Amino acid sequence: MKVSIATNERRLLCQDGPAVRPESVRPVHANLPPTAEYVSARALAESATLAEAATRVLEALCEALGWDFGALWNVDADSGILTCVETWHVPALELPRFDAATRGATFTRGVGLPGRVWFTGQPAWVPDVVADANFPRAPIAREEGLHGAFALPLLIRGTVVGVMEFFSREIREPDEALLGLLTRVGAQVGQFMERKRAEEELDRFFTLSLDMLCVAGFDGYFKRVNPAWEGVLGYTRDELLTRPYVDFVHPDDRGQTTTTADSLTTGAHVLNFENRYRAKDGTYHWLQWVAVPYPSEQTIYAAARDITEQKEARVTIARYSNDLVAARQAQAEDASRLAKIVSELEVRDLLNVVQVALQTSEGPAAIEVISAKPTWVELLVPCTREAAEQIQPVIARLGADLPADVCESVSEAFRELLLNAVEWGGRLDPNRKVRIAFVRTDRVLIYRIADPGPGFTLTDLDHAAITHPGDPLEHERVREKKGLRAGGFGLLMVRAKVDELVYNEKQNEVVFMKYLD
Amino acid sequence: MQIVERSVGGVTILDLKGVLIEDDGDDVFRDAVNGLVDRGRTQVLLNMAEAPQIDSTGLGVLASKYVTLRRRDGQLKLCNISARTRRLLETMKLLKVFEVFDTEADAIASFGRP
């Protein structure tokens, strides 16, 4: 007989054949349940993963309760099967086939010992699995000397999330005290599984997130970073965790970063904070942060996003925008300069007209310039035909960019009315002045001609064609009788060529308009 | 303004060269027609091919001389007028007064017709 010594609750075990508990060995569970429960809880608390916890719990329970082999099964609800998470057995025992069969097996509800427990939601005790009709691994159990078995469900709010099973080389009878203990342990493990599932789900998000997620301590060090950090900045996880995070921050941003971190320690939340982090290759990346503190844990949970390209795009857009504004400003200045030059040329033109008028006119006649802006011209013109003929082309040229028919119409109308004004209003007296004004807007041209005469009434105009609309020759006969020279078509012509023709009450001032749209 | 006088049969053709506006051509034209009337030549054709510009005074002189010639049983007709002059005549309703021809030949031929 080969005898091996197990662990703390040392038992003498037979390597093969039915288990024999020597009288000298204490019952394995009579006084151990509290220890088993404690050991299980500690194992769960110290484990990072379900697989690690499974190993430690199985080991702890097997050793505490004298079982030789343990397995933890996980319910895969999506697939509808149980899969083995981990196994453990007494190191001194050789159970290779049973261990491999367990690790490789899956069970549906009701099948095998784990499936049976899953189906009923109740613990199951099998005195000897070799003789059990619903135990597919029975042949292998027989070969490797396993007989007694116990399985319990791992429950979360009444739902089976896993199963633990234990095997012994002994044929064991049900033990109510042990059932109670293992039920409590099963609840512990079930809660652990639930928590680990949630954590693993969270870890998957944490690991797979394209954003840079981290947990930082109030001590200024990262506690945890996800793989995105390495992807963006190129540092290993260890490099990031072993230096104060402010070391990675651009020197110009450290002050604000420290201030922001301090505000987090007082419970403030941070949204859209931006700073620059130095990558391993020496370049800087703009990061935009959202951070929430947990003062009770002295930690900060934060997510950062690399917005370097956005920042660069914003800078580029701003530069282009500035360039565009500058270009428009330069264009406006050019246009303004051009307008000023044109205006100056027009002024010089008008001044030249005045000078020419002064040189060619006899006596004191002079053209007085009140305004010489291209859009507003106002002059005092002596009542001579010469002065009128000199001014008329300049006025016409102010509308030279207009359509030819418009330019022709207003030019002819202006000339007719100006000659009327100097002849009839000013009596061709060079000492008297006709005031003329020209205003141009985008929509209309406005001309005003005010003569110094006493005005007239329509009844005085029977020598004009406008008073004889039915006979275009009658006014000529009137003029002949009055001894007037031929003419008289002026007003009629103007009325036909402009859009508005308005005299003042005295009829010594006329305004005419030509619309441009 | 320059005026060249020609005769084709009983028709006197005046070729106007320049503008027919106030203080520039109106007096010359008036004197020319008055001279023809004095000589009994009252069938007058104005060839305005080279006088494209006319103003209200020019129109007045044309109308006035038309009246003068009609009183002498004469006629005053126009040919080769510019589009601008045609628009002006139309606006002043003078196209109903003057006979206007596109060519000199057509105009001369019209004088023989009653």
Side-chain angles (χ1 to χ4, degrees), chain B:
Chain B
M1 164 171 286
Q2 291 182 348
I3 299 177
V4 176
E5 181 182 321
R6 295 181 286 131
S7 293
V8 176
V11 179
T12 302
I13 303 165
L14 297 179
D15 296 317
L16 309 185
K17 295 181 179 179
V19 294
L20 185 56
I21 61 175
E22 183 168 348
D23 280 346
D24 191 356
D26 56 334
D27 289 344
V28 176
F29 175 74
R30 185 185 63 235
D31 293 345
V33 175
N34 287 344
L36 291 176
V37 171
D38 291 344
R39 286 184 279 143
R41 301 190 65 85
T42 57
Q43 304 300 309
V44 180
L45 172 64
L46 300 185
N47 176 16
M48 302 183 72
E50 295 182 68
Q53 187 181 351
I54 188 168
D55 70 355
S56 67
T57 300
L59 287 177
V61 175
L62 285 181
S64 173
K65 293 304 105 182
Y66 179 89
V67 172
T68 300
L69 287 168
R70 291 297 293 167
R71 283 183 186 142
R72 304 290 195 281
D73 294 325
Q75 295 183 90
L76 179 62
K77 301 185 180 183
L78 312 176
C79 70
N80 297 321
I81 64 172
S82 66
R84 185 177 177 181
T85 299
R86 181 179 289 276
R87 286 198 299 273
L88 202 53
L89 291 171
E90 186 173 14
T91 304
M92 300 298 107
K93 298 180 180 175
L94 288 172
L95 277 183
K96 295 177 180 175
V97 175
F98 288 100
E99 286 187 76
V100 178
F101 298 90
D102 291 337
T103 66
E104 182 179 305
D106 290 344
I108 290 171
S110 73
F111 280 96
R113 292 194 292 267

Side-chain angles (χ1 to χ4, degrees), chain A residues 172 248 293 356 442 515:
Chain A
R172 291 191 170 186
F248 299 103
V356 170
D442 290 340
Y515 297 116

